[in-house]
Amino acid sequence: MGRKIVVALGGNAILSKDASAAAQQQALRDTAEHLVKFIENGDQLIISHGNGPQVGNLLLQQAAGSTEDNPEMPLDTAVAMTQGSIGYWMQNAMNQVIKEKGLNKTVATVVTQVEVSADDPAFSHPTKPIGPFMNKDEADLAKKQNPDFTFVEDSGRGYRRVVPSPKPIGVVETEAVNTLVDAGIVPISVGGGGIPVVSNGSQLVGKEAVIDKDFASEKLAELVGADALIILTAVDHIFVNFNQPNQQKLEAVTVSELEKFVGENQFAPGSMLPKVQAAMDFVKATGKEAVVTALDNIEGFIENGSGTVIKPEPSKV
C-alpha cells in the first residue's frame, strides 16, 4: 500500500473567468489528468477542494431569483449544493481518466459536514471571500440588492463578499472516508471546506459560514491518519519576498522557520497565509510532512520532490 495522502485543491483552479458548467467540467478534466498521477504512483488518494467562487455565484443567483414561494437557501445548504455539483463533475472527470489509463480505481463524493464551535469569534467578524470579483460600482449595487451581505476589497483584485470563517474542530464523516479508502475507493471530501455545523445534543445544526478548505483539509488529514497533506496552489513553491527583486523560493523548511516568516508578514492573509498555517498545523499535530506546490507540478513533486516541503523539527536525540 502506498502513502495515504490528502490533496487539497483550490476552488479557483476549477473556475476561472468562465463560470459555465461546461468550462468548469473541462477544467476538472484537466485537473484529473494531474491528480491521477498520485494513483499511478500507488498512493491512497483523498481529494478535497474549495468552492469560494462557486458558492458565491450560487448565492447571488438565488438572491436574484428569490420569491416568497421559492426562497433562497441558507449558506450551509448552498455549500452542500456546491459540494454535490463540484463532486459530481470531479468524480466523473477522475473516473474517465482512470478508465483511459487502465487503472483499477473508482472515485466517490462524500457530502461532508465539518464541526465548528458555536462560540467561534469568526461569526462576529466575516473575513472569508466568496463569489466573483467586482468593481466598486458592482459591489455597491450588490450591497443595495442584498443589505445583509458584507463586501470588502480583496488583495487589490476587486471587491468580493465576505462571510464568517470559523476554524474546524472535527469532521463528522471521518469514518466514512476511511472506510472508502480501505475499500480502494478515492473519496472526495470536505468540499468547499465542508458544511459548517455545530453540535446541539444529538443534532447537528448548519451555520451561515464557509470554512477555509485548507484548514478543513488539514483537520481531515489529521483525523484519517494521513501520511502527508498536499496543498495545491498557483505556484510551485512558497516564496518569501514574493514578487520582489530578492524573492526566494522555499524548498525544505521546518515549522519554526515558517513561523519566523509568518511573524515577518511574508504571506498574504487571503492567499498564501492560510495554506502555510494549515501545513504547519498538520506537521505539528502529526509529526509528518506537508507540501505546498502547484497542480501542474505534481509530476515534478512525485519524481524529484519539487515543491515546498514542510518538515517537523529535527530530533535533538
Side-chain angles (χ1 to χ4, degrees), residues 21 93 144 156-157 182 222 271 299:
K144 184 177 180 180
R157 296 175 291 179
D182 291 342
E222 187 183 325
S271 179
E299 189 169 358

Side-chain angles (χ1 to χ4, degrees), residues 135-152:
N135 62 35
K136 184 68 165 60
D137 290 341
E138 291 169 335
D140 288 344
L141 177 60
K143 176 67 175 177
K144 184 177 180 180
Q145 294 171 335
N146 306 280
D148 293 335
F149 289 7
T150 301
F151 295 87
V152 301

